[in-house]
Amino acid sequence: MEMGFSFSFPCLFFASLLLCIQLSGAIDAPIKSLQTLSFDDGYTQIFGDSNLMLLRDGKTVHLSLDEKTGAGFASQDLYLHGFFSASIKLPADYAAGVVVAFYLSNGDVYHKTHDELDFEFLGNVRGREWRLQTNVYGNGSTRVGREERYDFWFDPTDDFHQYSILWTPHQIIFYIDSTPIREIRNSKAMGSAFPSKPMTLYATIWDGSTWATLGGRYKVNYRYAPFVAEFAALVLHGCTVDPLNPLSSCDEGFDSSSLATTELSVEQRSGMDSVRANHMTYSYCHDRKR
């Protein structure tokens, strides 16, 4: 069902302007200052039945993939800008064809003009590391793509690492732990391709055998199932929007005083440049075929 309304209203726009997190120094400080949610307080299961398991009073979520199904959950609310984060540990051993995703999307509402911000983790054969893909889609611009791929500089199956998305009216920043790895600035050139409509946060694990590992050369091998992705330290910090009332402002319980506007620090920008120079293996900007 497509909802025919615009979100370019003054009250909502100015409320969303407040959603630029203070990023001077490491991002660890904002994460520690933001309250993590238990599963029941902020999320709902969307598929997978018993393949979604809650531990530590709902503070940790296990999503598993087996021969029958994957699993996934979503935020209970829609958000127009904010900071979204999860500590994730990926499945170890042989994981070719397995896809774990942590992302924002409104594709369930805007089928042809959807927005999306993705962390996609792409499994690999034994002895080869997982790869990471980030995507930025705005107003249905999936043909443009805007994806980038990276190698990890650590083992993402050995321990938890924090993956975060900052989304404001002016910029989008992807983080791993305290390091920004990608920044997208809103500009006239991007136009409507910059995500601007409220989105839901999702986390999923599923079978991507047709494309995830070397273009589909290696499939999911269910002899190694179940494949388990672990999620913890879940953060939802943003402007919640009533989907039936687009004129509504941020929820009264939202504390915007913890947010401020700033640029990346010199240290952060240096860290991001290093990651992109040494670990980025693909960018749509450099794909001449596209």
Side-chain angles (χ1 to χ4, degrees), residues 11-12 15 239-242 245-252:
C11 63
L12 199 54
C239 177
T240 58
V241 175
D242 182 350
N245 182 13
L247 288 173
S248 63
S249 58
C250 289
D251 181 82
E252 293 181 358

Side-chain angles (χ1 to χ4, degrees), residues 3-248:
M3 306 175 74
F5 47 70
S6 170
F7 286 87
S8 58
F9 295 93
C11 63
L12 199 54
F13 176 77
F14 286 113
S16 64
L17 285 178
L18 298 173
L19 297 175
C20 299
I21 291 182
Q22 180 67 35
L23 295 173
S24 57
I27 197 173
D28 293 326
I31 288 178
K32 291 178 180 178
S33 68
L34 298 178
Q35 182 179 2
T36 59
L37 294 177
S38 66
F39 186 85
D40 290 337
D41 289 335
Y43 306 90
T44 186
Q45 182 171 1
I46 53 176
F47 72 101
D49 297 325
S50 60
N51 282 19
L52 185 151
M53 183 182 298
L54 302 181
L55 296 87
R56 297 181 60 248
D57 296 324
K59 293 290 187 179
T60 299
V61 186
H62 284 190
L63 298 181
S64 62
L65 169 68
D66 57 26
E67 299 91 334
K68 295 180 180 179
T69 184
F73 62 89
S75 62
Q76 296 173 10
D77 293 315
L78 280 170
Y79 292 87
L80 180 62
H81 308 123
F83 182 75
F84 311 90
S85 186
S87 186
I88 304 172
K89 184 179 179 182
L90 298 174
D93 207 359
Y94 186 100
V98 177
V99 178
V100 176
F102 180 71
Y103 65 104
L104 292 153
S105 178
N106 50 35
D108 58 331
V109 177
Y110 302 95
H111 303 294
K112 296 182 179 180
T113 59
H114 88 287
D115 304 313
E116 192 168 317
L117 301 173
D118 295 338
F119 275 114
E120 286 184 330
F121 306 92
L122 311 179
N124 218 326
V125 296
R126 184 186 289 112
R128 295 188 179 182
E129 297 178 351
W130 283 73
R131 292 171 300 153
L132 172 66
Q133 178 167 295
T134 60
N135 303 309
V136 178
Y137 301 142
N139 203 37
S141 64
T142 54
R143 292 184 180 180
V144 176
R146 302 187 184 278
E147 68 270 18
E148 293 183 352
R149 287 189 179 185
Y150 317 80
D151 291 328
F152 285 101
W153 54 99
F154 54 86
D155 183 354
T157 73
D158 186 54
D159 203 351
F160 285 91
H161 290 268
Q162 200 79 24
Y163 302 89
S164 309
I165 300 171
L166 172 67
W167 172 40
T168 81
H170 306 296
Q171 65 185 164
I172 297 159
I173 305 177
F174 293 84
Y175 295 88
I176 299 179
D177 297 323
S178 61
T179 304
I181 65 167
R182 184 178 185 184
E183 179 184 27
I184 299 93
R185 292 274 186 170
N186 196 356
S187 65
K188 291 183 179 179
M190 286 197 72
S192 62
F194 188 89
S196 60
K197 300 185 291 293
M199 293 190 275
T200 300
L201 180 77
Y202 296 91
T204 58
I205 186 170
W206 48 283
D207 186 329
S209 290
T210 59
W211 67 276
T213 306
L214 293 180
R217 179 179 177 183
Y218 295 102
K219 317 294 185 183
V220 174
N221 188 334
Y222 285 105
R223 289 185 301 171
Y224 299 96
F227 304 96
V228 180
E230 303 175 53
F231 291 77
L234 300 168
V235 174
L236 291 171
H237 189 66
C239 177
T240 58
V241 175
D242 182 350
L244 301 180
N245 182 13
L247 288 173
S248 63

